[in-house]
Amino acid sequence: MLTVPEVHLAPLLPILIVLAGALASTVLGFFLPRRALTIINLVLLVLSGVSMGTLWNSGAVAFGGSLQADNAAVLLGLTILLGSAMTLLVSLDTAYRARVSFPEFDAMLMYAVTGTLLIAFSGDLIVMLIGLEVMSLSGYVLATLQESRPAEESGLKYFLLGAVGSAVLIYGIAWVYGATGSLSYAGIAAKTAGLTPDNLGILVGGALLLLAGFGFKVALAPFHQWTPDVYSGAPTTVSLFLSTVVKVAAFAGMLRVFGGALQNAPGWASILQLLIAATLIVGNAASLFQTNFKRMLAYSAVAHTGFLALALLGSPGLGGAALAYYLLVYTLMTAAAFAIVAALQRNEQGMAIQDLRGLYYRHPGYAVALAVCLASLAGLPPFAGFFGKYLAFQAALQGGYVWLSVLAALASVAALVYYLRPAMLLFMPDRTPAREYAHGERPATTFTVALGVIGVTVLGILPNLWYGWVANPAIWGTLAGR
């Protein structure tokens, strides 16, 4: 007898609203200017966030649990929507100069956001994979939309390496299914809890393949090779999106899989700690030698991947809360930093670090804002980046990874060098001929920067404004859909 799957509109609504924006951008692009479409999409993102708010404590599911709107999904989904809105706001001012001011940009971005929400709301590996592929395919197009050789090269690298990552991840899903006989997070968790499955070797192999596949998406070393080239070669607005929204979604998938479905599976945590150590060393060491500020932010994103991944080593309660807090803070400070680069750069290759010298005497507001972002990225109090790293270290220490926490602390000290060097240049008098920056009114970008700066400052001084929501262990106990 054919069983008709349970379909409820409530958990689907936030995703459908974003999908409507993607479809509207595809169809209405023939009739409306791109700026009007961007404003429509911003309104739809707000409506999607409102619909997510109505799902709080509802525990709504659809398709027999394949899509679940638990509180963890709502918290991660709101962070995704925030990063997406900041990207669209910056694009209002910079898309024309970057030669991506056409409806296809908004369409691809909204399709990518649809995929990211599918990952956050996924209840099984198939929905997670669908979301990951929708997000990735849209990201490949976004990276190469600009008609320039660097953008085309970055898009090709992103596509080729991303395709390898997706293939490895799909192979891992097949192995996990072969070992457990289930694709749902709850079914996998039930199979691996208490008793060791008969196919232990297949389960461990599948978990490691999944880890490698996710490693490509979040830029864990040694799977990070595409990150600096893509972030520096793509339009800066796209780099903002890839470094925030895509990373948040990929970590949401990792949290679902490793903090929920495979939390009792052996092997993957030992390998993950080695990948984190390599990521911390490579990301921070490479950042020290960069002369281009945009490329330095790209390697900085790799280094922060290592800090974020520390939270996955803790218990689902503490680690999930630490990751959710850190992801929001990371989105705010990284988006604001890229927004300032997008506003001031003369071309899409970014600017040399030396070009920041004396910025305070030309654009004092942006200079102060960038200094705050760099201080937060470095983990200096009283900004929220400090508390985010503290929570990640705490989660790793709770899991018994003392040596890794010490390495992360030393990496944070090294990060002070490459973050504070441009921060100091901002306020140094510049005796060279006046440097050229992009000019013109940038109200949407300025609003985005102000949002990021205010966010990291307020959440650093009053962290419980967000951490108070995410610190409830009951939220993260539902990661496996149980």
Side-chain angles (χ1 to χ4, degrees), residues 324-345:
Y325 178 88
Y326 200 164
L327 284 172
L328 175 64
V329 171
Y330 173 79
T331 297
L332 289 169
M333 57 193 182
T334 303
F338 270 109
I340 294 171
V341 173
L344 298 180
Q345 64 187 358

Side-chain angles (χ1 to χ4, degrees), residues 84-108:
S84 304
M86 295 176 83
T87 303
L88 284 175
L89 284 169
V90 173
S91 74
L92 283 172
D93 295 329
T94 62
Y96 180 79
R97 192 183 72 227
R99 303 196 304 277
V100 292
S101 184
F102 34 77
E104 290 81 0
F105 176 86
D106 289 70
M108 287 296 103

Side-chain angles (χ1 to χ4, degrees), residues 34-91:
R34 185 255 163 185
R35 194 175 185 87
L37 292 175
T38 303
I39 294 173
I40 291 172
N41 287 328
L42 283 168
V43 172
L44 290 174
L45 289 177
V46 172
L47 292 176
S48 178
V50 171
S51 69
M52 279 188 198
T54 63
L55 295 172
W56 186 257
N57 285 332
S58 69
V61 298
F63 302 106
S66 293
L67 202 72
Q68 52 189 33
D70 53 17
N71 289 348
V74 172
L75 291 170
L76 295 168
L78 289 174
T79 302
I80 287 171
L81 293 179
L82 175 63
S84 304
M86 295 176 83
T87 303
L88 284 175
L89 284 169
V90 173
S91 74

Side-chain angles (χ1 to χ4, degrees), residues 227-286:
T227 309
D229 292 332
V230 172
Y231 286 11
S232 59
T236 304
T237 309
V238 175
S239 302
L240 188 161
F241 182 77
L242 296 177
S243 64
T244 56
V245 178
V246 170
K247 183 164 290 190
V248 170
F251 268 110
M254 291 188 76
L255 189 59
R256 287 283 187 196
V257 172
F258 296 105
L262 294 173
Q263 61 178 295
N264 297 309
W268 64 265
S270 300
I271 301 300
L272 178 59
Q273 65 175 325
L274 298 178
L275 297 182
I276 292 172
T279 304
L280 291 170
I281 294 171
V282 171
N284 286 285

